[in-house]
Amino acid sequence: MAESEGFPLAEPGLWVERTSATNFPDGRPALFLDRDGTINVDTGYPDDPAAVVLRDGIAPVIEAANVRGIPVIVVTNQSGIARGYFGWDAFARVNGRVLELLAEQNAFVDMVLACAYHEAGRGALAVADHPMRKPNPGMLLEAGRRLGLDLSRSLIVGDKLADMEAGQRAGLARGWLADGEGSTIGGFSVSPLRGAHHVEELLTAIRSL
Ligand SMILES: [Mg+2]
């Protein structure tokens, strides 16, 4: 698979990349974020770095975690790769642009995990209900192992219930759902994230970790 050479793939359908040089002591809580629709505007299988636009209000959330020494981890399903819409090379370019735009706002991501597996995929990526694909908690658990995180105090921000379910199943403390409604999933509290007021509540939660 020449197209995947040189990329940080832990296995054919799993990207795991350390994107900062920051060292964290064991036992830190983390801020997990979905990418498309949460950090950047979701354009549907985004594959063009020039089209990447950040959502309002998300860079300050990441910066608040940076300031407090809380690892920031992106966990993103990328079934577009399994479906043959684009390759890891396009993922790398789009993701690099997302991180670049965040850095311009003084917000830095420490680790990125991406899962390409999907039942509608091709070849080695054609896996139904892969443990790394949200709503399964595999990517969060993998980051937890690699960084020695305290998942029980960690937070997740996403724009789909699958993000929240992954957080609940990984044993996280709490979730925030962009454009969504508040709810509870098996005792896991999901708060809405719509506009400045809710961003302030999320910032308060991060600062109290
Ligand atoms: Mg999303």
Side-chain angles (χ1 to χ4, degrees):
M1 295 244 303
E3 67 184 25
S4 61
E5 278 176 13
F7 296 128
L9 299 179
E11 52 181 280
L14 181 66
W15 177 291
V16 184
E17 181 182 16
R18 199 67 165 80
T19 49
S20 78
T22 309
N23 283 312
F24 299 98
D26 280 357
R28 297 295 292 152
L31 174 65
F32 288 94
L33 298 115
D34 168 55
R35 197 190 75 181
D36 302 331
T38 300
I39 297 176
N40 51 291
V41 175
D42 192 357
T43 52
Y45 304 106
D47 64 353
D48 178 7
V52 173
V53 176
L54 297 186
R55 290 192 55 142
D56 289 338
I58 200 68
V61 167
I62 293 173
E63 183 182 14
N66 294 151
V67 166
R68 299 196 65 85
I70 295 163
V72 174
I73 301 162
V74 170
V75 285
T76 175
N77 284 348
Q78 292 292 324
S79 74
I81 296 172
R83 298 172 196 267
Y85 298 164
F86 54 89
W88 284 119
D89 51 348
F91 169 81
R93 287 192 294 272
V94 169
N95 203 62
R97 181 61 178 156
V98 171
L99 300 188
E100 181 180 66
L101 289 170
L102 288 173
E104 287 175 4
Q105 296 190 45
N106 207 34
F108 300 93
V109 170
D110 297 296
M111 183 175 273
V112 173
L113 296 95
C115 176
Y117 296 110
H118 192 269
E119 60 190 340
R122 309 188 299 194
L125 302 182
V127 180
D129 197 31
H130 193 283
M132 292 293 170
R133 179 174 166 81
K134 297 176 290 185
N136 294 322
M139 288 193 284
L140 288 72
L141 299 175
E142 180 68 20
R145 277 191 294 274
R146 290 185 181 233
L147 295 177
L149 303 173
D150 181 353
L151 292 175
S152 72
R153 291 194 296 140
S154 298
L155 310 177
I156 186 165
V157 183
D159 71 322
K160 292 190 174 154
L161 282 173
D163 301 316
M164 302 299 104
E165 186 178 338
Q168 184 260 331
R169 292 171 62 190
L172 269 49
R174 191 171 171 189
W176 302 79
L177 188 57
D179 308 323
E181 303 293 329
S183 64
T184 57
I185 304 171
F188 178 80
S189 172
V190 174
S191 299
L193 188 57
R194 290 190 306 266
H197 170 67
H198 290 125
V199 170
E200 275 306 315
E201 290 178 351
L202 174 56
L203 288 169
T204 299
I206 290 168
R207 291 174 184 135
S208 65
L209 285 174

